[in-house]
Structures are given as structure tokens and as C-alpha cells.
Amino acid sequence: MSILEVKNLRKSFGNTEVLKDINFTLEAGEVLSIIGSSGSGKTTLLRCLNFLETPDSGLILVQGKPLFNSEDTTAKSDAEIRRSRQHFGLVFQSFNLFPQYTALKNVTLASELQAKERPDYKTNKKYILEDIRKNGERLLTQVGLFDKRDNYPHQLSGGQQQRVAIARALSLSPDILCFDEPTSALDPELTGEVLKVIKGLADHNTTMVIVTHEMQFAREVSDKVLFMDSGYVVEYGTPEEVFDHPQHERTQQFLLRYSGNE
Amino acid sequence: MFETVLLSLSEGFVKSLEVFFLTLIGAIPLGLLISFGSMSKFKPLSFLVKVIVWIVRGSPLMLQLLIIYFGPGLIFGNNWWGSGSEGRFIAAMVAFIFNYACYFSEIFRGGIEGIPQGQYEAGEVLGMTKSQIFFKVILMQVVKRIVPPMGNEVITLIKDTSLVRVISVYELMWNGQSFIKSSGLIWPLFFTGVFYLAFNGIVTLLLGYAEKKLDYFKV
């Protein structure tokens, strides 16, 4: 069974249709890169998956279970939406770390808040919090920032902040980790460290959806590539198919422009 | 004579301090509530709140004191506030709290709206509830942003406490001025200035301390 299935997804803002009938599937452990020019709907698609936007119609299934179904008109409670969100993690273009917390606290905060809902929280508080802290430190080690655990976001470089943000997104063990142009806000010399962390996650079979403008990186890291143009999926296939043998003229033009830049 | 004056001014100062602290205690939570009202997505509510804030900020506090104190008795023939100094004090506090809550609400609104949307979204994708996002993520950043403008208002409030005398609440300046009539002395009135300056000095130091305390992060 596919870990993620998106069917007939549509989304409009006012009169502008941003997503027009999006369909794709993703298997567990796979990496999907979404490429395309600005305004093609990539970010909106990612935001729909994370329930930051509500699609107008369509179906989102995770492990066969519908998380979003426009046919189902019963209103979802906040708690249900929060539960659905847990399947996804999201790393933002602009990091969005919480400035008043240390790197470690940024990673552990959500887990700590969730732990409070556990029935055994009061009796096992010390043990539970200790566990969460250890997990946070493990994640910071994984992104190479254990020694920065007590630093506040403003004391970190952009690349370091984004790596903390990746650790934070992993803290609730999402099924699918999403990245919204994770290196676009970074100085060119800082993109490498972030891409390396993402590559490391891919090597450990983390299921990921990555919106990116880094074509070389997308080719290396992806199992599937999806090219979007003005709200449509124009091309969808393996990196070889999309990058080396694009079927559509739009894809060819887009890739040509990028290879010219590199 | 000096001791008599000092004693009288101290008594007045205590009354001024009561006005000051009770206003803060009442106006901060009320101001937060009003700011939520003015940011409400329910248009009639936000419109109504904005009109009220416009009226309160757009007219003199002294006028509001007079209307709130004398209004009920003269318009409805029924003085809600009760007679004597206690009634006058209650009326003064209602006027002050409401007036300052309106000013505070605009500062809070600015502080809350200034927090980037990404902070809310980061909390949302981590499965936090709306109240967790507000109290654990947003609030501290708002507090840091509003310390300087709140400092301005607090300092203004110290001096505004002298307005309660228009409805005969005997605060610091009233007591200072009374020596002109009773003994022909002007210096007690000048001396009240020392109290205001000293208290302002302390408050300024505290505000500076608060800003320094919040220096550990940047927004």
C-alpha cells in the first residue's frame, strides 16, 4: 500500500485556480521532489498536505486512510485535524524557529506539550521529560548540532537554524517529512550543510516530499520527480525520466533554463 | 511645618499609587480582551470595539472622569458610585481602567499582529492547539515587543493619576496645592514634583531591567 496517495486535488484562491487536478502516489521510504517555476502551485500543494490550506476538492490518503476527503462533508474538529497533521512534518523556507527557546527546546517543545495529555504524565513526569530530552539531543546530533543545543536561534547561522528546524520536524516522528524550498532563504555557501542533512535522511529511508529549486540535488536524492506548471502536474516519473527524457515541451523549457544557470 | 507637609504629601502619594497600581492590574487584562475584540473576524464586533477605542482615545481623560462620575446621577438620577470618597474613588478607577485598557489594547494588537504568520504555522504543523500556540509561542514574543511602548504608557499613567482630583479624590497634587489656600505656601506644590520624578525614576529603572531580562532572544 502506498504511504501517500493524492487524488484529484484542487485549490483556488478567489478566482485563481492554483491546483488543478493533482494526482500522485508515494511509497514508504521514497523521496519525491517537486520542481517548477514560482507560482506553479508547489508550495500550495505542500501546504494542503500539512493542513495549512484546505483543498477545495480531492482526496489525501495516508497508508490507505483518508485524511482529507472533500466528499465527506462532516466538519472536522480541531483535534482531528491536529491528529491528521501528525502524519506530516514540515520544514519551512524561512525556518520559523521559536526565537525565545534554545535549539534543544525548539526540538522538544511539541513533544513536551503532547506528553502532558498522557494519563501517566503526573506519575512518570521526570522519566517522560528525560526521554524527550534524550530524543531531542539525539535528533540534534543527527543534524550535527549537539554542541549548539543551548544556543538561541539568533546565535545560529541560517544553515544551522534550518538544521534545527529539520530536527524539530522529526521530533514527532512523522510518516512523511515535507520541505518547502529548504535552502531558498540561505546564502549559497550554507545550502550544502542543509542538503547534506536531507541526503542523510534519504539514505535512512525517510519518506520525504521536497519542493526545491536545486535541480542537481533533486536528481541525486529523489526516487520520483514531479514537475508542476500553472497548477498542473506536467511530468511525473523517475529522475532519469524527468531530467533526461522529459516528454513535454514545458518541462524541456524549464530544465533548459535551469541548466543554463548552473 | 516641613513634617506636616511631608505627611500630607505622603498620604496623597499613597492614593496616587493606589490609582496607579489598580489601573495597571485592571487595564492589562481588559486591554488584552479589547485587543482580541478589535482583531475579531466577526466584523460587527471589531467595528464596535474600534469605535469605542476611538471615542476613549479621542477624548480627554478628564472629560471621561467627569462624565463617568457625574453622568449616572445627573442623567439617570441615580448615583451608582455611592456617596463619599469611596464612591468617587471607584468612579475614578472605572474611568482610568477603561481609558488605559483602550490604549493598551492598541499596543497589544500591534504586538500580536507583528508576529509573523510562520510562528503560528510552525506551531500548527507540530500539532499544537491554538491556546498552546498563543501561550507557549506567541505571548513571550509579544511581551518583548511591547515593553518599550508600554513603558511610555506607564510613565504617562504616573502623571495622569493627578487628574483624579477633578472629582475630589485627594491624591498627591491636591494635597500639595491645598497648602496654598491654607498657609499661603507654594513650595509644597513644587515638592510634589519630587515625588513624581522619584517614582518615575524607579519605574524607568524597572523597565530597563525588564528589557535587559528579555535580551536573551531576538524577534
Side-chain angles (χ1 to χ4, degrees):
Chain A
M1 191 193 309
S2 303
I3 193 159
L4 175 64
E5 276 178 84
V6 172
K7 289 181 182 170
N8 309 109
L9 206 68
R10 287 173 186 277
K11 173 72 184 172
S12 300
F13 293 112
N15 289 327
T16 320
E17 198 170 24
V18 185
L19 298 179
K20 302 163 184 163
D21 197 22
I22 304 291
N23 293 280
F24 66 89
T25 60
L26 189 65
E27 306 301 322
E30 279 188 342
V31 176
L32 168 71
S33 288
I34 304 177
I35 58 172
S37 7
S38 306
S40 59
K42 311 181 300 281
T43 295
T44 305
L45 173 57
L46 211 56
R47 289 171 64 85
C48 283
L49 293 180
N50 285 277
F51 297 88
L52 291 174
E53 305 289 351
T54 311
D56 297 330
S57 67
L59 194 60
I60 299 173
L61 299 147
V62 171
Q63 286 158 340
K65 273 191 307 190
L67 290 194
F68 174 81
N69 182 357
S70 54
E71 307 283 290
D72 177 8
T73 48
T74 54
K76 288 252 171 29
S77 70
D78 277 3
E80 278 177 289
I81 292 175
R82 279 199 297 129
R83 261 199 303 280
S84 300
R85 278 204 169 107
Q86 309 278 303
H87 294 281
F88 295 92
L90 177 60
V91 175
F92 298 87
Q93 181 176 353
S94 50
F95 331 136
N96 296 344
L97 290 182
F98 306 132
Q100 73 268 43
Y101 295 123
T102 62
L104 180 61
K105 185 78 177 179
N106 262 281
V107 178
T108 58
L109 180 67
S111 307
E112 285 170 11
L113 292 174
Q114 282 193 359
K116 284 185 186 167
E117 289 166 29
R118 284 170 58 164
D120 62 338
Y121 181 70
K122 281 216 171 86
T123 44
N124 294 335
K125 187 174 171 182
K126 221 177 136 185
Y127 175 77
I128 291 171
L129 290 182
E130 177 67 14
D131 242 23
I132 291 172
R133 188 180 61 82
K134 276 191 186 140
N135 187 48
E137 288 178 348
R138 181 183 64 76
L139 289 167
L140 282 179
T141 308
Q142 194 179 341
V143 298
L145 289 173
F146 179 73
D147 57 331
K148 299 283 185 192
R149 63 192 179 284
D150 293 326
N151 286 56
Y152 289 89
H154 76 274
Q155 299 166 321
L156 303 172
S157 72
Q160 290 169 335
Q161 288 189 50
Q162 191 60 303
R163 281 145 70 196
V164 172
I166 293 171
R168 180 176 71 173
L170 286 167
S171 68
L172 297 172
S173 323
D175 299 319
I176 300 154
L177 187 55
C178 302
F179 292 85
D180 184 13
E181 303 190 24
T183 57
S184 294
L186 295 175
D187 291 336
E189 66 266 29
L190 297 177
T191 57
E193 59 184 89
V194 173
L195 296 179
K196 206 176 116 194
V197 167
I198 302 174
K199 185 98 186 10
L201 292 170
D203 293 342
H204 286 89
N205 294 323
T206 312
T207 313
M208 292 188 279
V209 178
I210 307 171
V211 169
T212 184
H213 289 295
E214 304 272 346
M215 294 306 146
Q216 191 52 42
F217 172 72
R219 180 199 280 266
E220 281 169 26
V221 82
S222 312
D223 299 288
K224 282 178 184 163
V225 176
L226 192 154
F227 171 66
M228 281 182 75
D229 187 51
S230 32
Y232 290 105
V233 175
V234 175
E235 197 107 17
Y236 176 49
T238 65
E240 292 74 29
E241 286 167 353
V242 175
F243 287 114
D244 299 333
H245 310 286
Q247 300 298 306
H248 296 81
E249 200 184 333
R250 273 301 291 127
T251 323
Q252 289 160 9
Q253 285 168 352
F254 175 80
L255 291 172
L256 202 64
R257 217 173 50 211
Y258 264 90
S259 61
N261 287 347
E262 276 173 342
Chain B
M1 194 65 214
F2 182 77
E3 275 161 38
T4 319
V5 170
L6 193 63
L7 189 68
S8 167
L9 293 190
S10 299
E11 274 170 22
F13 185 55
V14 168
K15 189 54 90 182
S16 298
L17 287 180
E18 278 177 36
V19 174
F20 175 79
F21 284 111
L22 287 175
T23 301
L24 284 185
I25 291 168
I28 288 173
L30 183 61
L32 195 59
L33 215 65
I34 294 173
S35 76
F36 288 143
S38 69
M39 290 184 287
S40 169
K41 285 187 186 115
F42 182 59
K43 289 283 173 243
L45 177 64
S46 71
F47 180 75
L48 180 72
V49 170
K50 278 177 182 163
V51 169
I52 292 171
V53 170
W54 167 65
I55 291 170
V56 171
R57 293 201 307 168
S59 61
L61 174 54
M62 194 189 281
L63 180 63
Q64 291 162 24
L65 269 169
L66 293 170
I67 289 175
I68 285 177
Y69 180 58
F70 291 112
L74 294 177
I75 298 166
F76 306 108
N78 174 14
N79 183 7
W80 304 338
W81 312 114
S83 57
S85 63
E86 201 169 308
R88 295 197 298 274
F89 183 72
I90 292 170
M93 288 322 303
V94 169
F96 263 68
I97 288 173
F98 201 61
N99 180 278
Y100 270 82
C102 286
Y103 278 97
F104 289 170
S105 77
E106 284 297 281
I107 294 176
F108 297 158
R109 187 174 66 82
I112 291 169
E113 288 180 344
I115 305 296
Q117 193 58 28
Q119 290 290 308
Y120 292 90
E121 292 181 352
E124 281 178 47
V125 297
L126 287 165
M128 294 185 197
T129 63
K130 285 203 171 75
S131 79
Q132 283 172 341
I133 292 171
F134 184 77
F135 287 106
K136 297 288 178 180
V137 176
I138 305 300
L139 187 60
M140 206 51 184
Q141 299 180 47
V142 173
V143 169
K144 184 180 167 84
R145 278 163 181 260
I146 65 173
V147 168
M150 283 296 280
N152 253 337
E153 288 302 318
V154 169
I155 284 168
T156 305
L157 172 60
I158 295 171
K159 295 167 290 175
D160 273 359
T161 56
S162 60
L163 289 173
V164 296
R165 53 173 303 177
V166 301
I167 56 170
S168 303
V169 174
Y170 304 136
E171 46 66 63
L172 177 58
M173 232 172 84
W174 173 288
N175 285 8
Q177 198 182 359
S178 69
F179 286 97
I180 296 177
K181 251 186 220 162
S182 65
S183 326
L185 295 174
I186 187 69
W187 66 264
L189 186 60
F190 295 160
F191 195 31
T192 62
V194 177
F195 281 81
Y196 289 114
L197 281 173
F199 188 50
N200 252 321
I202 294 167
V203 168
T204 305
L205 287 177
L206 287 175
L207 286 166
Y209 177 76
E211 267 187 63
K212 218 178 159 100
K213 266 281 180 197
L214 289 167
D215 243 6
Y216 70 92
F217 73 97
K218 298 225 173 352
V219 287

